[in-house]
Amino acid sequence: VPKFLVNKDGSLGARNDAPCVSIEHKLGIKASPTAVLQFGDHGGAVGYLVGQENRGLEYMFIMMNAARYGVGLQGVAIAERAYQKAVQYAKDRVQSRPVDGSINASAAIIHHPDVKRMLMTMRAYTEGCRAMASTAVAAYDAAHHHPDAQVRKDNATFYEFMVPLVKGYSTEMSLEVTSLGVQVHGGMGFIEETGAAQYYRDAKILTIYEGTTAIQANDLVGRKTARDGGQSARAIATQIEKTEGELQASGTPAALAMARRLAAARQAYLDVVDFVCGGAKASPNAVFAGSVPYLMLAGNLVAGWQLGRSLLVAQDLLQKGQDEAFMRAKIATAQFYAEHILVKAPGLRDSIVEGAESVTALALDSF
Amino acid sequence: VPKFLVNKDGSLGARNDAPCVSIEHKLGIKASPTAVLQFGDHGGAVGYLVGQENRGLEYMFIMMNAARYGVGLQGVAIAERAYQKAVQYAKDRVQSRPVDGSINASAAIIHHPDVKRMLMTMRAYTEGCRAMASTAVAAYDAAHHHPDAQVRKDNATFYEFMVPLVKGYSTEMSLEVTSLGVQVHGGMGFIEETGAAQYYRDAKILTIYEGTTAIQANDLVGRKTARDGGQSARAIATQIEKTEGELQASGTPAALAMARRLAAARQAYLDVVDFVCGGAKASPNAVFAGSVPYLMLAGNLVAGWQLGRSLLVAQDLLQKGQDEAFMRAKIATAQFYAEHILVKAPGLRDSIVEGAESVTALALDSF
């Protein structure tokens, strides 16, 4: 539906009957205007068929599937930016003495353990989700360009399983990360001039557009898990178990902490996969009641798995003396993820597997 | 510091040298303007001492302590409003067929299990925090007006322990609740006209003003837990255990589910209280690294405990045939809280007790 009708000689003709009647006032992403268009109030808007008839939905999904991955990355990007801004502020802003007495005067707030906890949470989510997105997109490349047909097929399956996790988990975590970003700034964060609040406002659209978190979770439950009886889902658990073995073999405290938390999260995930595959047809309400928590558990696990892999690489390179500060930071961040984010997985399992009925128990007119 | 100087005869004199030079642009609470004042650029602002010299901080804390409780209630209030608005929208907005095939046409989105999960989460947090705030303020009244001095003292101790929970936990949950409120609205929620986004913007100040969540957590760790060696904290656990016994004795599925989750959460809480009391002096960084998670665990537990008590009352009144729909809703909401919110407690315990070191492990210049 063009704004102007184009004459046969290529020159602009009359305006099309599709005027913009207002611009929406939105919570965020204000650099991307959202308009109300009115079609055909004065004789009818003229549109042109693009492509073949009745294939519009299919065409849209080509765009949509790429967009889902892209929106997941937007989550990672805004989280990274919120983190950088919060770190800068935490290093500048001076307030109170450190609790351990290490500085006998007011110090930059980054010296306070809770500020570190907030920054580490932001950092760990961001690195975990970025690693997950990178692994997914590498599989996408292999799915299209690897010479071996079986490898292409396996990678396509893996990538498709990853898309709802990259979209759903990375955007949900961006809400927590951008909220923590405001929190690190304290009262200044609530002032728009500071810039931290914009991330908090902008991030909220990411869990909504190109398929809400619930739509991603439906995709994960239906097309990605139940349809092949959990085969793709369990194949990922097998890969994770292999990484756990490598972490165990390495034997460092960070690797052992990661192995232990990965094993508990993987077991929780497998319980949920069994629950989803067992009940998708017989008890659809119970399964879909846990669809978003399942997505959160799976995303939490897979992002943690990638940080487990990066921990192993960082340990190797550290031993070789390469980029020591960077490698130590990778290891510290992975261990933090294991102990503060992966630990949420067993609780999610309980909610999904044992708490399905209470989601739908309330009578409709009691809401 | 008045805006106008007042003459001895009570008439208004000259403007004081304390002009408002700008109004801040804030994320939310825009009906409450925040101004930049400039003091004394043209000869000096005149201020008057209120009360006695050197007692200003003490006076401020009288206001502040009341304000902390009040801000906690603001969290409950905005959560309730966000819930009501989301319910209304979920009953109006028609989209897709229910997964269980119960309606063979597009239905109001409240029929979809994930929408129910979001609404139940909003409702359960709100009811739990409201019950916690009500219990706290009843103790405040008893602390001031009960005829027995020991009862007054016990209630004062209980109330003081509750204040950081009411302020810290209720406001943090309001972030999740208002975010879910936007989510239930989908794309419409991102449009300011809908009104759901305002709650999301407004709620963020609640975790910041009158002492951030971290400040509440410092208070909980230092003055409320470590100072009496965990005595007040453990006394609450003993009361919770009593409620668990009553739930066990009642024997209904909802009561048993609540008893089981309360017991696990209480045990997690006691582990953390031991950790806090054991390490507050020797390992302050480790203890304060877990201060906010401890506050979240304690708030989660106490709000759940209050819903456990309300479940027992509701069961009794239901048996007597009183307000059946209301009582059933209370029971369903309490069970949901147990299975979807209380279940987070053991994971928090692990983060606090076993994950303290990874919070502060990253080198400062690696942030």
Side-chain angles (χ1 to χ4, degrees):
Chain A
V1 183
K3 277 193 289 191
F4 287 89
L5 300 173
V6 180
N7 298 319
K8 286 201 170 151
D9 63 4
S11 63
L12 285 187
R15 279 198 77 98
N16 200 354
D17 184 12
C20 165
V21 294
S22 77
I23 301 289
E24 299 286 5
H25 298 95
K26 297 197 304 265
L27 174 59
I29 57 164
K30 293 179 184 180
S32 164
T34 303
V36 179
L37 295 177
Q38 208 152 33
F39 292 104
D41 265 17
H42 301 284
V46 177
Y48 301 97
L49 182 69
V50 178
Q52 292 173 37
E53 215 167 340
N54 290 324
R55 295 190 64 188
L57 198 68
E58 181 188 331
Y59 296 157
M60 189 203 64
F61 265 106
I62 291 171
M63 178 277 288
M64 194 72 122
N65 280 330
R68 287 178 173 188
Y69 179 86
V71 174
L73 263 196
Q74 282 188 292
V76 177
I78 200 166
E80 173 65 32
R81 191 67 199 91
Y83 168 75
Q84 288 182 17
K85 197 171 189 68
V87 166
Q88 192 61 53
Y89 187 80
K91 287 182 171 177
D92 282 351
R93 166 75 169 149
V94 171
Q95 178 74 51
S96 306
R97 295 179 189 202
V99 285
D100 63 358
S102 56
I103 301 171
N104 194 22
S106 289
I109 61 173
I110 199 166
H111 290 279
H112 302 318
D114 188 64
V115 173
K116 279 192 179 150
R117 183 192 62 81
M118 290 194 280
L119 294 174
M120 286 303 295
T121 305
M122 297 172 79
R123 181 185 177 97
Y125 270 123
T126 309
E127 289 197 13
C129 288
R130 187 192 292 124
M132 178 165 71
S134 305
T135 304
V137 87
Y140 182 87
D141 284 350
H144 284 81
H145 302 295
H146 198 280
D148 184 325
Q150 187 60 42
V151 175
R152 284 202 302 278
K153 189 162 170 280
D154 291 347
N155 276 282
T157 304
F158 180 82
Y159 174 75
E160 283 179 11
F161 195 90
M162 286 299 115
V163 170
L165 308 190
V166 171
K167 192 332 183 152
Y169 184 65
S170 304
T171 59
E172 290 287 340
M173 74 86 200
S174 79
L175 302 185
E176 187 168 340
V177 169
T178 55
S179 178
L180 286 171
V182 174
Q183 195 72 19
V184 169
H185 285 77
M188 285 303 295
F190 205 67
I191 306 295
E192 288 284 2
E193 190 187 4
T194 314
Q198 190 188 328
Y199 307 138
Y200 181 73
R201 292 187 288 99
D202 286 354
K204 193 69 193 89
I205 196 61
L206 305 178
T207 63
I208 299 170
Y209 67 11
E210 308 306 355
T212 62
T213 305
I215 294 294
Q216 306 304 320
N218 277 1
D219 180 46
L220 180 67
V221 162
R223 276 190 294 276
K224 308 296 167 67
T225 303
R227 193 161 64 180
D228 72 0
Q231 200 185 320
S232 313
R234 291 194 192 93
I236 289 165
T238 304
Q239 289 191 64
I240 295 172
E241 203 176 355
K242 192 165 155 280
T243 302
E244 288 164 31
E246 293 164 12
L247 289 158
Q248 286 282 359
S250 123
T252 65
L256 292 176
M258 175 58 87
R260 182 175 158 216
R261 299 299 175 185
L262 268 181
R266 173 177 52 82
Q267 195 50 59
Y269 164 82
L270 284 170
D271 289 349
V272 174
V273 170
D274 289 347
F275 176 75
V276 166
C277 294
K281 279 191 183 152
S283 320
N285 280 337
V287 166
F288 283 95
S291 58
V292 167
Y294 168 41
L295 170 58
M296 293 303 112
L297 198 173
N300 186 323
L301 172 66
V302 171
W305 169 36
Q306 298 313 318
L307 289 190
R309 291 177 60 209
S310 78
L311 189 157
L312 287 164
V313 174
Q315 286 188 162
D316 273 0
L317 295 176
L318 181 63
Q319 246 185 346
K320 292 175 187 156
Q322 194 175 314
D323 290 332
E324 290 192 18
F326 181 83
M327 298 309 159
R328 284 189 206 284
K330 273 282 165 205
I331 294 165
T333 305
Q335 186 170 349
F336 181 91
Y337 188 102
E339 293 175 343
H340 296 264
I341 299 173
L342 264 176
V343 290
K344 297 179 181 184
L348 283 165
R349 185 214 79 96
D350 285 5
S351 292
I352 300 163
V353 175
E354 297 167 16
E357 277 177 33
S358 62
V359 175
T360 51
L362 194 74
L364 215 65
D365 54 11
S366 291
F367 276 95
Chain B
V1 184
K3 275 192 289 190
F4 286 91
L5 300 172
V6 180
N7 298 319
K8 286 198 171 152
D9 64 4
S11 64
L12 284 187
R15 279 198 80 97
N16 200 355
D17 185 11
C20 165
V21 295
S22 77
I23 301 289
E24 299 286 7
H25 299 95
K26 297 197 305 265
L27 174 58
I29 56 163
K30 294 179 183 178
S32 164
T34 303
V36 180
L37 295 177
Q38 209 151 31
F39 292 104
D41 265 19
H42 301 285
V46 177
Y48 301 96
L49 183 68
V50 178
Q52 293 172 36
E53 216 168 337
N54 290 324
R55 294 188 65 187
L57 198 68
E58 183 189 327
Y59 296 157
M60 189 201 66
F61 265 107
I62 291 171
M63 178 278 286
M64 194 72 120
N65 280 331
R68 285 178 174 187
Y69 180 87
V71 174
L73 263 196
Q74 281 188 293
V76 177
I78 200 166
E80 173 66 32
R81 192 66 199 93
Y83 168 76
Q84 288 182 17
K85 197 170 187 70
V87 166
Q88 192 59 53
Y89 188 80
K91 287 181 171 177
D92 281 352
R93 166 76 168 147
V94 171
Q95 178 75 50
S96 303
R97 294 179 190 202
V99 284
D100 63 359
S102 55
I103 301 171
N104 194 22
S106 289
I109 60 173
I110 200 167
H111 290 279
H112 302 319
D114 189 63
V115 173
K116 279 193 179 149
R117 182 192 61 82
M118 291 194 279
L119 294 174
M120 287 303 295
T121 305
M122 299 172 77
R123 180 183 178 98
Y125 270 123
T126 309
E127 289 197 13
C129 287
R130 186 190 294 124
M132 178 165 70
S134 305
T135 305
V137 87
Y140 182 87
D141 284 351
H144 285 81
H145 302 296
H146 199 279
D148 184 324
Q150 186 60 44
V151 174
R152 283 202 302 277
K153 189 162 169 280
D154 291 348
N155 275 281
T157 305
F158 180 82
Y159 175 74
E160 284 180 12
F161 195 90
M162 286 299 115
V163 169
L165 308 190
V166 171
K167 196 317 186 162
Y169 184 65
S170 304
T171 59
E172 289 288 340
M173 75 84 198
S174 79
L175 302 185
E176 187 168 339
V177 169
T178 55
S179 177
L180 286 170
V182 175
Q183 196 72 19
V184 169
H185 284 78
M188 284 304 295
F190 204 67
I191 307 295
E192 289 284 1
E193 190 187 4
T194 312
Q198 190 189 326
Y199 308 138
Y200 181 72
R201 291 187 290 99
D202 286 353
K204 193 71 192 86
I205 196 60
L206 305 178
T207 63
I208 298 170
Y209 67 11
E210 311 304 357
T212 61
T213 305
I215 294 293
Q216 306 305 320
N218 278 1
D219 180 46
L220 181 66
V221 163
R223 277 190 293 276
K224 310 295 166 67
T225 303
R227 194 162 66 180
D228 71 359
Q231 200 186 318
S232 314
R234 290 195 193 93
I236 289 166
T238 304
Q239 289 191 63
I240 295 172
E241 203 175 354
K242 191 166 156 279
T243 304
E244 287 163 31
E246 293 164 12
L247 289 158
Q248 287 282 357
S250 123
T252 66
L256 292 175
M258 175 58 87
R260 182 175 158 216
R261 299 299 175 185
L262 268 181
R266 174 177 51 82
Q267 193 50 60
Y269 165 81
L270 285 170
D271 289 348
V272 173
V273 170
D274 289 347
F275 175 75
V276 165
C277 294
K281 280 190 183 152
S283 321
N285 280 337
V287 167
F288 283 96
S291 58
V292 167
Y294 167 40
L295 171 58
M296 292 304 113
L297 198 173
N300 187 323
L301 171 65
V302 171
W305 169 37
Q306 298 313 319
L307 290 190
R309 291 177 60 209
S310 79
L311 189 157
L312 286 165
V313 174
Q315 286 188 163
D316 272 0
L317 295 177
L318 181 63
Q319 243 183 350
K320 294 175 187 155
Q322 194 175 316
D323 289 333
E324 290 193 18
F326 181 82
M327 298 310 159
R328 284 189 206 285
K330 273 282 165 206
I331 295 165
T333 305
Q335 185 169 350
F336 181 91
Y337 188 101
E339 293 174 343
H340 296 265
I341 299 174
L342 265 176
V343 289
K344 296 178 181 184
L348 283 165
R349 186 214 79 95
D350 285 5
S351 292
I352 299 163
V353 176
E354 297 168 16
E357 278 177 33
S358 63
V359 175
T360 51
L362 195 73
L364 214 65
D365 55 9
S366 289
F367 275 94

